[in-house]
Amino acid sequence: MSVITLFSGSYCLSDQLVSMLKEQVRYSVITDEDIVAKAADMSAISKKKIENILINKPSIFNNITHEKERSLAWLKLAMAETLLEADNTLIAGLTGHLVPDEITHVLRVCLIADMGYRLVQAGRETQMSEKEAVSLIHKQDKEKAAWTDTLFGQPDPWSASLYDLVIPVDKIKLEEAVQLVVENLRSEVIRPTGASKKAEHDFVLAAQVEVALTKHGHFVSVSARDGAVTLTIHQNVLLLSRLEEELKSIAGDVDGVVSIETRLGKGFHKTDIYRKYDFETPRLLLVDDEREFVQTLSERLSMRDIDSAVVYDGESALDLMATDDPEVMILDLKMPGIDGFEVLRKTKETRPNVEVVILTGHGSEEDRAVCMGLGAFAYLQKPVDIDELSATLKQAYVKVQDNKAA
């Protein structure tokens, strides 16, 4: 049977339409929560982190962990396997966009309405003020725009090019909208064919290859057709032939792959250099109010394959600690507002396994004693020798790994 994907703006009656469709066509409903849960079960990534990808809130350490890219790969595999097993199914939410166009027995539906209508609906469904509702709707629209931009390079999530059917729920009655979906669902164009069912298997194979590549730190576009896999490299590569050999070796180990071709994408001739990522790199946070210094330090560490995230004050560091998971921190002591002593104390109280390296230009032996007493891993002074700092960070990460193993 055909499949329906339903994408909707906030307060565009999607829940009501789904309920009425279930009643009329007897379809089962799969939600974003279902696909996220399946992806989390299949991977080592938490549901929360995968959910954050859907709302465009990747970790500040994404340049190190690449959780966004890895989560997308697992989401595709979760969707591909779900679709292969699905029958008479309605997929509601953002994850329906993961279904490739080649799977033609999918009716892609979008619900839209103007802001005035959505505000009225928000008022009926919640206790929010109009100002709060406007802010929330704009925020959620931006999240949806970021999602379609990531997948398709299309920052307009309501673009008719993404759907078979765009329904303005502020212009027609809900019963008419349901009937419109049902009529389109009966179209010959939407019915499964041998080619469209084969495309489901191609989707599974492409997703399996993409997951296999991400496990080895590679992020390239993957497509498949009858076992023939195409890998598209979108960034410049210093040793292209070596990369192609490695990609083909990894992809070739996936069951069902018959042949592998590599191609160069549109971004290949730009200045960005392709890098294979090492997920054993520590999640390093730099905390210092001297912006020029800390940015330069971050660049110098990156040249030694130590990537980092940066914040410029103690309050931001503590806020980040509550929502993200750094493993090692380089911390300045003298900062306006919450100083380094307080950041160190609170970090060790709430996240004792985070190793903190103090790096200060105004320290003293008394300060050193206080910091080490609070649990700092090391106490260094500016200007610091970059090799000494690099060695200290590696030692701190060894301790992090030892603590995990214990």
Side-chain angles (χ1 to χ4, degrees), residues 224-253:
R225 185 170 184 177
D226 296 332
V229 171
T230 300
L231 311 176
T232 304
I233 303 166
H234 293 287
Q235 288 179 295
N236 202 347
V237 181
L238 297 178
L239 297 171
L240 179 59
S241 60
R242 183 182 296 179
L243 173 63
E244 288 175 318
E245 288 176 10
E246 184 171 353
L247 295 177
K248 288 179 179 179
S249 175
I250 297 167
D253 286 338

Side-chain angles (χ1 to χ4, degrees), residues 118-177:
R118 295 167 74 183
L119 288 174
V120 170
Q121 291 303 316
R124 290 173 178 171
E125 296 176 23
T126 73
Q127 301 299 314
M128 287 186 293
S129 68
E130 181 173 311
K131 183 178 179 180
E132 290 171 328
V134 168
S135 177
L136 178 62
I137 291 171
H138 281 314
K139 174 179 175 292
Q140 293 175 338
D141 283 355
K142 285 181 179 178
E143 293 168 355
K144 292 177 172 67
W147 175 248
T148 56
D149 193 26
T150 294
L151 295 182
F152 311 112
Q154 172 55 271
D156 177 9
W158 326 118
S159 172
S161 65
L162 302 178
Y163 310 100
D164 301 304
L165 191 60
V166 178
I167 302 177
V169 294
D170 55 338
K171 302 293 193 299
I172 66 174
K173 294 179 179 179
L174 199 56
E175 292 79 6
E176 294 173 347

Side-chain angles (χ1 to χ4, degrees), residues 71-92:
S71 294
L72 275 175
W74 284 105
L75 280 169
K76 288 177 188 177
L77 183 55
M79 174 57 75
E81 292 190 356
T82 297
L83 197 63
L84 197 62
E85 301 162 357
D87 192 21
N88 296 353
T89 301
L90 187 156
I91 302 169

Side-chain angles (χ1 to χ4, degrees), residues 80 83-84 99-105 193-206 224-226:
L83 197 63
L84 197 62
V99 180
D101 290 340
E102 289 78 9
I103 301 176
T104 55
H105 59 274
T193 65
S196 72
K197 296 301 288 184
K198 188 179 292 184
E200 287 184 336
H201 291 274
D202 290 339
F203 183 27
V204 172
L205 181 59
R225 185 170 184 177
D226 296 332

Side-chain angles (χ1 to χ4, degrees), residues 17 24 46 57 63 76 82-83 133 144 168 173 246 280 287 294 343 365 380:
L17 187 135
Q24 188 153 342
S46 71
K57 281 184 62 181
N63 64 320
K76 288 177 188 177
T82 297
L83 197 63
K144 292 177 172 67
K173 294 179 179 179
E246 184 171 353
E280 293 304 310
V287 187
V294 75
V343 173
E365 285 303 315
L380 304 176

Side-chain angles (χ1 to χ4, degrees), residues 202-213:
D202 290 339
F203 183 27
V204 172
L205 181 59
Q208 289 173 337
V209 171
E210 188 168 342
V211 163
L213 291 170

